[in-house]
Amino acid sequence: MEKYIYELKMKVRDYECDLQGIVNNANYQHYLEHTRHEFLNSEGISFAKLHEEGVDPVVARLTMAFKTPLRSGDEFISKLYLKKEGIKYVFYQDIFRLPDLKMVIKASVETVCLIDGRLGESKLLDEKFAGFIQN
């Protein structure tokens, strides 16, 4: 079993659903991104401050496997764990419907850092993530 390092509870809003009454596929990306940003905030990492220092983490690749749809009013929990592969940080993110914990989506998000506009490694993020990186 994956060792999740962060989780965030959320609820589906009406406007996130399509005509079929299920969450539109694009909104899952928002859920995943919000979870990553809240994880970073919880560790004292500010995107604005990173940018001011010339460090811009960006998504390089995203894969999502849809398992079970969410509907308006559903509550869910978004979980993540983290690995480092070369210069990439890979966030493995899973979303589960509440209360039955049925898997909704399985995703991986590969991120890289631009340092002053060039692909590179961030010593600050390496330090901040050191205790969370899984093999």
Side-chain angles (χ1 to χ4, degrees), residues 4-89:
Y4 298 107
I5 59 171
Y6 185 79
E7 58 185 52
L8 182 65
K9 187 177 173 186
M10 290 183 264
K11 184 175 181 177
V12 175
R13 296 161 289 209
D14 292 341
Y15 64 84
E16 296 169 330
C17 298
D18 58 23
L19 289 174
Q20 298 165 322
I22 60 176
V23 170
N24 179 277
N25 65 81
N27 286 310
Y28 290 99
Q29 253 184 283
H30 294 280
Y31 299 155
L32 297 172
E33 182 174 29
H34 185 62
T35 303
R36 288 192 309 280
H37 284 215
E38 288 298 311
F39 165 66
L40 295 175
N41 286 336
S42 75
E43 294 304 313
I45 300 169
S46 159
F47 268 105
K49 186 173 179 184
L50 285 173
H51 179 73
E52 289 170 7
E53 296 172 3
V55 178
D56 292 299
V58 296
V59 172
R61 178 176 291 154
L62 167 72
T63 59
M64 296 186 289
F66 298 93
K67 305 294 186 179
T68 302
L70 289 171
R71 299 182 183 282
S72 182
D74 281 351
E75 291 186 339
F76 61 95
I77 191 157
S78 179
K79 300 182 179 192
L80 67 79
Y81 64 98
L82 179 62
K83 293 186 178 183
K84 187 160 187 204
E85 298 174 4
I87 63 169
K88 296 184 294 188
Y89 292 105

